[in-house]
Short mmCIF file of all heavy atoms in Angstrom, two decimals:
data_model
loop_
_atom_site.label_atom_id
_atom_site.label_comp_id
_atom_site.label_asym_id
_atom_site.label_seq_id
_atom_site.Cartn_x
_atom_site.Cartn_y
_atom_site.Cartn_z
N PHE A 278 -93.45 -4.62 -22.16
CA PHE A 278 -94.00 -3.85 -23.27
C PHE A 278 -93.31 -4.15 -24.61
O PHE A 278 -93.66 -3.56 -25.63
CB PHE A 278 -93.98 -2.36 -22.95
CG PHE A 278 -94.85 -2.04 -21.75
CD1 PHE A 278 -94.30 -1.50 -20.61
CD2 PHE A 278 -96.20 -2.32 -21.77
CE1 PHE A 278 -95.10 -1.23 -19.50
CE2 PHE A 278 -97.01 -2.06 -20.68
CZ PHE A 278 -96.45 -1.51 -19.53
N ASP A 279 -92.39 -5.11 -24.60
CA ASP A 279 -91.83 -5.62 -25.85
C ASP A 279 -92.58 -6.86 -26.34
O ASP A 279 -92.31 -7.37 -27.42
CB ASP A 279 -90.34 -5.95 -25.70
CG ASP A 279 -89.47 -4.71 -25.63
OD1 ASP A 279 -89.94 -3.62 -26.03
OD2 ASP A 279 -88.31 -4.83 -25.19
N LEU A 280 -93.52 -7.36 -25.52
CA LEU A 280 -94.34 -8.48 -25.96
C LEU A 280 -95.21 -8.05 -27.14
O LEU A 280 -95.64 -6.90 -27.22
CB LEU A 280 -95.27 -8.96 -24.83
CG LEU A 280 -94.62 -9.66 -23.65
CD1 LEU A 280 -95.65 -9.83 -22.53
CD2 LEU A 280 -94.05 -11.01 -24.05
N ASP A 281 -95.49 -9.00 -28.04
CA ASP A 281 -96.44 -8.68 -29.10
C ASP A 281 -97.81 -8.47 -28.44
O ASP A 281 -98.06 -8.94 -27.33
CB ASP A 281 -96.48 -9.80 -30.15
CG ASP A 281 -96.95 -11.12 -29.57
OD1 ASP A 281 -98.17 -11.33 -29.47
OD2 ASP A 281 -96.08 -11.94 -29.19
N ILE A 282 -98.67 -7.73 -29.11
CA ILE A 282 -99.96 -7.32 -28.53
C ILE A 282 -100.80 -8.52 -28.09
O ILE A 282 -101.38 -8.51 -27.01
CB ILE A 282 -100.76 -6.45 -29.53
CG1 ILE A 282 -100.04 -5.12 -29.75
CG2 ILE A 282 -102.19 -6.21 -29.05
CD1 ILE A 282 -99.88 -4.27 -28.51
N GLU A 283 -100.84 -9.56 -28.89
CA GLU A 283 -101.66 -10.73 -28.54
C GLU A 283 -101.16 -11.38 -27.25
O GLU A 283 -101.95 -11.72 -26.37
CB GLU A 283 -101.67 -11.74 -29.69
CG GLU A 283 -102.53 -12.95 -29.38
CD GLU A 283 -102.57 -13.96 -30.51
OE1 GLU A 283 -101.87 -13.78 -31.53
OE2 GLU A 283 -103.29 -14.96 -30.35
N THR A 284 -99.85 -11.58 -27.14
CA THR A 284 -99.29 -12.20 -25.94
C THR A 284 -99.53 -11.30 -24.73
O THR A 284 -99.91 -11.78 -23.65
CB THR A 284 -97.79 -12.49 -26.11
OG1 THR A 284 -97.61 -13.33 -27.26
CG2 THR A 284 -97.19 -13.15 -24.89
N TYR A 285 -99.32 -10.00 -24.90
CA TYR A 285 -99.55 -9.05 -23.81
C TYR A 285 -101.00 -9.11 -23.34
O TYR A 285 -101.28 -9.21 -22.14
CB TYR A 285 -99.20 -7.63 -24.27
CG TYR A 285 -99.53 -6.58 -23.24
CD1 TYR A 285 -98.66 -6.31 -22.19
CD2 TYR A 285 -100.72 -5.86 -23.31
CE1 TYR A 285 -98.98 -5.36 -21.24
CE2 TYR A 285 -101.04 -4.91 -22.36
CZ TYR A 285 -100.16 -4.67 -21.33
OH TYR A 285 -100.49 -3.73 -20.38
N GLN A 286 -101.94 -9.07 -24.28
CA GLN A 286 -103.36 -9.10 -23.91
C GLN A 286 -103.72 -10.40 -23.21
O GLN A 286 -104.45 -10.41 -22.22
CB GLN A 286 -104.23 -8.89 -25.15
CG GLN A 286 -104.16 -7.48 -25.67
CD GLN A 286 -104.90 -7.29 -26.99
OE1 GLN A 286 -105.04 -8.22 -27.78
NE2 GLN A 286 -105.38 -6.08 -27.22
N ASN A 287 -103.20 -11.51 -23.71
CA ASN A 287 -103.49 -12.81 -23.08
C ASN A 287 -102.85 -12.93 -21.70
O ASN A 287 -103.42 -13.54 -20.80
CB ASN A 287 -103.07 -13.95 -24.00
CG ASN A 287 -103.99 -14.08 -25.19
OD1 ASN A 287 -105.18 -13.76 -25.10
ND2 ASN A 287 -103.46 -14.54 -26.30
N LEU A 288 -101.68 -12.33 -21.52
CA LEU A 288 -101.04 -12.30 -20.20
C LEU A 288 -101.91 -11.51 -19.22
O LEU A 288 -102.11 -11.93 -18.07
CB LEU A 288 -99.64 -11.68 -20.30
CG LEU A 288 -98.88 -11.52 -18.99
CD1 LEU A 288 -98.58 -12.87 -18.35
CD2 LEU A 288 -97.58 -10.75 -19.23
N MET A 289 -102.46 -10.39 -19.66
CA MET A 289 -103.32 -9.58 -18.80
C MET A 289 -104.64 -10.31 -18.49
O MET A 289 -105.12 -10.28 -17.36
CB MET A 289 -103.60 -8.22 -19.43
CG MET A 289 -102.40 -7.30 -19.47
SD MET A 289 -101.71 -6.94 -17.84
CE MET A 289 -100.10 -7.74 -17.98
N LEU A 290 -105.20 -10.99 -19.49
CA LEU A 290 -106.43 -11.77 -19.26
C LEU A 290 -106.18 -12.89 -18.25
O LEU A 290 -107.00 -13.13 -17.35
CB LEU A 290 -106.96 -12.34 -20.57
CG LEU A 290 -107.58 -11.33 -21.52
CD1 LEU A 290 -107.85 -11.98 -22.88
CD2 LEU A 290 -108.86 -10.75 -20.93
N LEU A 291 -105.06 -13.58 -18.39
CA LEU A 291 -104.72 -14.64 -17.45
C LEU A 291 -104.47 -14.06 -16.06
O LEU A 291 -104.92 -14.62 -15.06
CB LEU A 291 -103.49 -15.42 -17.93
CG LEU A 291 -102.99 -16.52 -16.99
CD1 LEU A 291 -104.09 -17.56 -16.71
CD2 LEU A 291 -101.76 -17.18 -17.58
N SER A 292 -103.79 -12.94 -15.99
CA SER A 292 -103.53 -12.29 -14.69
C SER A 292 -104.85 -11.93 -14.01
O SER A 292 -105.00 -12.10 -12.80
CB SER A 292 -102.66 -11.05 -14.88
OG SER A 292 -101.39 -11.41 -15.36
N HIS A 293 -105.80 -11.45 -14.79
CA HIS A 293 -107.13 -11.12 -14.27
C HIS A 293 -107.79 -12.36 -13.67
O HIS A 293 -108.30 -12.34 -12.54
CB HIS A 293 -107.97 -10.54 -15.41
CG HIS A 293 -109.36 -10.19 -15.03
ND1 HIS A 293 -110.40 -11.09 -15.09
CD2 HIS A 293 -109.89 -9.02 -14.60
CE1 HIS A 293 -111.51 -10.50 -14.71
NE2 HIS A 293 -111.23 -9.24 -14.41
N LYS A 294 -107.78 -13.44 -14.42
CA LYS A 294 -108.38 -14.70 -13.97
C LYS A 294 -107.70 -15.20 -12.69
O LYS A 294 -108.37 -15.57 -11.72
CB LYS A 294 -108.25 -15.75 -15.09
CG LYS A 294 -108.71 -17.13 -14.71
CD LYS A 294 -108.48 -18.10 -15.86
CE LYS A 294 -108.89 -19.50 -15.48
NZ LYS A 294 -108.76 -20.43 -16.62
N LEU A 295 -106.39 -15.18 -12.68
CA LEU A 295 -105.65 -15.69 -11.53
C LEU A 295 -105.81 -14.78 -10.32
O LEU A 295 -105.87 -15.26 -9.18
CB LEU A 295 -104.18 -15.88 -11.87
CG LEU A 295 -103.91 -16.95 -12.94
CD1 LEU A 295 -102.43 -17.00 -13.28
CD2 LEU A 295 -104.40 -18.32 -12.49
N ALA A 296 -105.88 -13.47 -10.52
CA ALA A 296 -106.08 -12.54 -9.40
C ALA A 296 -107.42 -12.81 -8.72
O ALA A 296 -107.52 -12.80 -7.49
CB ALA A 296 -106.00 -11.10 -9.89
N ASN A 297 -108.46 -13.08 -9.51
CA ASN A 297 -109.76 -13.40 -8.93
C ASN A 297 -109.71 -14.69 -8.13
O ASN A 297 -110.29 -14.78 -7.05
CB ASN A 297 -110.83 -13.47 -10.02
CG ASN A 297 -111.22 -12.10 -10.52
OD1 ASN A 297 -111.30 -11.15 -9.76
ND2 ASN A 297 -111.46 -11.99 -11.82
N SER A 298 -109.00 -15.68 -8.62
CA SER A 298 -108.85 -16.95 -7.89
C SER A 298 -108.02 -16.74 -6.63
O SER A 298 -108.34 -17.28 -5.57
CB SER A 298 -108.17 -17.99 -8.78
OG SER A 298 -108.96 -18.24 -9.92
N LEU A 299 -106.97 -15.97 -6.75
CA LEU A 299 -106.08 -15.68 -5.62
C LEU A 299 -106.84 -14.97 -4.50
O LEU A 299 -106.69 -15.30 -3.33
CB LEU A 299 -104.90 -14.85 -6.11
CG LEU A 299 -103.79 -14.51 -5.14
CD1 LEU A 299 -103.20 -15.75 -4.49
CD2 LEU A 299 -102.68 -13.74 -5.88
N GLU A 300 -107.68 -14.02 -4.86
CA GLU A 300 -108.45 -13.27 -3.86
C GLU A 300 -109.42 -14.17 -3.11
O GLU A 300 -109.70 -13.96 -1.92
CB GLU A 300 -109.21 -12.13 -4.54
CG GLU A 300 -109.82 -11.16 -3.56
CD GLU A 300 -110.34 -9.91 -4.23
OE1 GLU A 300 -110.28 -9.78 -5.47
OE2 GLU A 300 -110.84 -9.04 -3.49
N LYS A 301 -109.93 -15.20 -3.76
CA LYS A 301 -110.82 -16.16 -3.10
C LYS A 301 -110.02 -17.13 -2.21
O LYS A 301 -110.51 -17.57 -1.18
CB LYS A 301 -111.59 -16.96 -4.15
CG LYS A 301 -112.59 -16.14 -4.91
CD LYS A 301 -113.21 -16.95 -6.04
CE LYS A 301 -114.09 -16.05 -6.90
NZ LYS A 301 -114.48 -16.71 -8.15
N ALA A 302 -108.81 -17.44 -2.61
CA ALA A 302 -108.01 -18.45 -1.91
C ALA A 302 -107.26 -17.91 -0.70
O ALA A 302 -107.02 -18.64 0.27
CB ALA A 302 -107.02 -19.09 -2.88
N VAL A 303 -106.85 -16.65 -0.77
CA VAL A 303 -106.04 -16.05 0.29
C VAL A 303 -106.79 -14.84 0.85
O VAL A 303 -107.06 -13.90 0.09
CB VAL A 303 -104.66 -15.60 -0.26
CG1 VAL A 303 -103.84 -14.93 0.82
CG2 VAL A 303 -103.91 -16.79 -0.85
N PRO A 304 -107.13 -14.86 2.13
CA PRO A 304 -107.85 -13.71 2.70
C PRO A 304 -107.06 -12.42 2.50
O PRO A 304 -105.91 -12.32 2.88
CB PRO A 304 -107.95 -14.07 4.18
CG PRO A 304 -107.81 -15.56 4.24
CD PRO A 304 -106.89 -15.91 3.11
N CYS A 305 -107.71 -11.44 1.85
CA CYS A 305 -107.07 -10.15 1.60
C CYS A 305 -108.15 -9.15 1.20
O CYS A 305 -109.26 -9.54 0.87
CB CYS A 305 -106.00 -10.26 0.51
SG CYS A 305 -106.62 -10.80 -1.10
N LEU A 306 -107.79 -7.88 1.21
CA LEU A 306 -108.73 -6.84 0.79
C LEU A 306 -108.85 -6.78 -0.72
O LEU A 306 -109.91 -6.46 -1.26
CB LEU A 306 -108.30 -5.48 1.34
CG LEU A 306 -108.30 -5.35 2.85
CD1 LEU A 306 -107.76 -3.99 3.28
CD2 LEU A 306 -109.72 -5.56 3.40
N ARG A 307 -107.73 -7.04 -1.40
CA ARG A 307 -107.70 -7.07 -2.86
C ARG A 307 -106.37 -7.66 -3.30
O ARG A 307 -105.47 -7.85 -2.49
CB ARG A 307 -107.91 -5.69 -3.46
CG ARG A 307 -106.78 -4.72 -3.20
CD ARG A 307 -107.05 -3.32 -3.73
NE ARG A 307 -108.21 -2.79 -3.04
CZ ARG A 307 -109.15 -2.03 -3.61
NH1 ARG A 307 -109.04 -1.69 -4.87
NH2 ARG A 307 -110.17 -1.58 -2.93
N VAL A 308 -106.24 -7.89 -4.59
CA VAL A 308 -104.98 -8.36 -5.15
C VAL A 308 -104.38 -7.21 -5.96
O VAL A 308 -105.05 -6.64 -6.83
CB VAL A 308 -105.18 -9.61 -6.04
CG1 VAL A 308 -103.88 -9.98 -6.75
CG2 VAL A 308 -105.67 -10.78 -5.19
N GLY A 309 -103.14 -6.88 -5.64
CA GLY A 309 -102.43 -5.85 -6.37
C GLY A 309 -101.60 -6.48 -7.47
O GLY A 309 -101.24 -7.66 -7.41
N MET A 310 -101.30 -5.68 -8.49
CA MET A 310 -100.47 -6.15 -9.59
C MET A 310 -99.31 -5.17 -9.76
O MET A 310 -99.49 -3.96 -9.70
CB MET A 310 -101.27 -6.21 -10.88
CG MET A 310 -100.46 -6.73 -12.05
SD MET A 310 -101.46 -7.01 -13.53
CE MET A 310 -101.49 -5.37 -14.21
N SER A 311 -98.13 -5.74 -9.96
CA SER A 311 -96.95 -4.91 -10.17
C SER A 311 -96.12 -5.49 -11.30
O SER A 311 -96.01 -6.70 -11.44
CB SER A 311 -96.11 -4.85 -8.89
OG SER A 311 -94.95 -4.08 -9.09
N VAL A 312 -95.57 -4.60 -12.09
CA VAL A 312 -94.63 -4.97 -13.14
C VAL A 312 -93.39 -4.12 -12.91
O VAL A 312 -93.45 -2.91 -13.04
CB VAL A 312 -95.20 -4.71 -14.55
CG1 VAL A 312 -94.16 -5.01 -15.61
CG2 VAL A 312 -96.47 -5.51 -14.77
N ILE A 313 -92.32 -4.78 -12.54
CA ILE A 313 -91.07 -4.06 -12.33
C ILE A 313 -90.07 -4.52 -13.37
O ILE A 313 -89.57 -3.74 -14.15
CB ILE A 313 -90.53 -4.27 -10.90
CG1 ILE A 313 -91.54 -3.74 -9.89
CG2 ILE A 313 -89.18 -3.59 -10.74
CD1 ILE A 313 -91.25 -4.05 -8.47
N GLY A 314 -89.78 -5.82 -13.38
CA GLY A 314 -88.96 -6.38 -14.44
C GLY A 314 -87.46 -6.21 -14.30
O GLY A 314 -86.72 -6.60 -15.19
N LEU A 315 -87.00 -5.65 -13.19
CA LEU A 315 -85.56 -5.47 -13.03
C LEU A 315 -84.89 -6.69 -12.40
O LEU A 315 -83.70 -6.91 -12.59
CB LEU A 315 -85.27 -4.23 -12.17
CG LEU A 315 -85.74 -2.91 -12.75
CD1 LEU A 315 -85.52 -1.78 -11.75
CD2 LEU A 315 -85.01 -2.61 -14.05
N GLU A 316 -85.65 -7.48 -11.67
CA GLU A 316 -85.07 -8.60 -10.94
C GLU A 316 -84.77 -9.81 -11.81
O GLU A 316 -83.83 -10.55 -11.54
CB GLU A 316 -85.94 -8.97 -9.73
CG GLU A 316 -87.35 -9.43 -10.05
CD GLU A 316 -88.38 -8.34 -10.31
OE1 GLU A 316 -88.06 -7.25 -10.80
OE2 GLU A 316 -89.56 -8.61 -10.04
N VAL A 317 -85.54 -10.04 -12.86
CA VAL A 317 -85.30 -11.14 -13.80
C VAL A 317 -85.56 -10.60 -15.21
O VAL A 317 -86.63 -10.02 -15.45
CB VAL A 317 -86.23 -12.35 -13.52
CG1 VAL A 317 -86.00 -13.46 -14.54
CG2 VAL A 317 -86.03 -12.88 -12.11
N PRO A 318 -84.63 -10.79 -16.14
CA PRO A 318 -84.81 -10.26 -17.49
C PRO A 318 -85.75 -11.13 -18.34
O PRO A 318 -85.37 -11.72 -19.34
CB PRO A 318 -83.39 -10.23 -18.05
CG PRO A 318 -82.71 -11.37 -17.36
CD PRO A 318 -83.30 -11.40 -15.98
N HIS A 319 -86.99 -11.23 -17.89
CA HIS A 319 -88.03 -12.01 -18.58
C HIS A 319 -89.35 -11.36 -18.17
O HIS A 319 -89.61 -11.19 -16.98
CB HIS A 319 -87.98 -13.47 -18.10
CG HIS A 319 -88.87 -14.40 -18.86
ND1 HIS A 319 -88.38 -15.47 -19.56
CD2 HIS A 319 -90.21 -14.43 -19.01
CE1 HIS A 319 -89.39 -16.13 -20.12
NE2 HIS A 319 -90.51 -15.51 -19.79
N ALA A 320 -90.16 -10.98 -19.12
CA ALA A 320 -91.43 -10.31 -18.83
C ALA A 320 -92.23 -11.10 -17.80
O ALA A 320 -92.35 -12.32 -17.90
CB ALA A 320 -92.23 -10.15 -20.12
N HIS A 321 -92.74 -10.40 -16.78
CA HIS A 321 -93.55 -11.06 -15.76
C HIS A 321 -94.39 -10.05 -14.99
O HIS A 321 -94.10 -8.87 -14.95
CB HIS A 321 -92.69 -11.88 -14.81
CG HIS A 321 -91.68 -11.12 -14.03
ND1 HIS A 321 -90.51 -10.63 -14.60
CD2 HIS A 321 -91.63 -10.74 -12.74
CE1 HIS A 321 -89.80 -10.01 -13.68
NE2 HIS A 321 -90.47 -10.05 -12.53
N VAL A 322 -95.45 -10.58 -14.40
CA VAL A 322 -96.39 -9.81 -13.60
C VAL A 322 -96.39 -10.40 -12.19
O VAL A 322 -96.42 -11.62 -12.03
CB VAL A 322 -97.81 -9.90 -14.21
CG1 VAL A 322 -98.85 -9.29 -13.31
CG2 VAL A 322 -97.84 -9.26 -15.59
N HIS A 323 -96.36 -9.53 -11.19
CA HIS A 323 -96.51 -9.95 -9.79
C HIS A 323 -97.97 -9.75 -9.41
O HIS A 323 -98.52 -8.65 -9.59
CB HIS A 323 -95.67 -9.07 -8.86
CG HIS A 323 -94.21 -9.20 -9.02
ND1 HIS A 323 -93.45 -10.03 -8.22
CD2 HIS A 323 -93.34 -8.59 -9.86
CE1 HIS A 323 -92.18 -9.93 -8.57
NE2 HIS A 323 -92.09 -9.07 -9.57
N LEU A 324 -98.60 -10.76 -8.85
CA LEU A 324 -99.93 -10.66 -8.26
C LEU A 324 -99.74 -10.86 -6.76
O LEU A 324 -99.26 -11.91 -6.33
CB LEU A 324 -100.88 -11.72 -8.82
CG LEU A 324 -101.15 -11.66 -10.32
CD1 LEU A 324 -102.04 -12.83 -10.75
CD2 LEU A 324 -101.77 -10.33 -10.71
#
């Protein structure tokens, strides 16, 4: 949440795109997203 708005929005758009690809590639009910950020001090999203 310290990312500038444009970078944040583009990160979410990319995460959306990749989650859809991931759901097609790996059999699953859905793709979950998590943001914890304690393990590495660099903004990131888990899909």
Side-chain angles (χ1 to χ4, degrees):
F278 297 118
D279 286 343
L280 290 170
D281 62 83
I282 293 299
E283 181 180 4
T284 302
Y285 175 82
Q286 289 174 332
N287 288 330
L288 177 64
M289 290 301 114
L290 288 170
L291 177 58
S292 296
H293 179 272
K294 175 183 178 176
L295 296 176
N297 285 323
S298 299
L299 184 55
E300 191 170 2
K301 292 173 187 168
V303 178
C305 61
L306 296 176
R307 67 184 63 217
V308 173
M310 182 173 83
S311 179
V312 176
I313 299 172
L315 297 174
E316 62 278 31
V317 178
H319 187 119
H321 61 286
V322 171
H323 293 264
L324 298 177

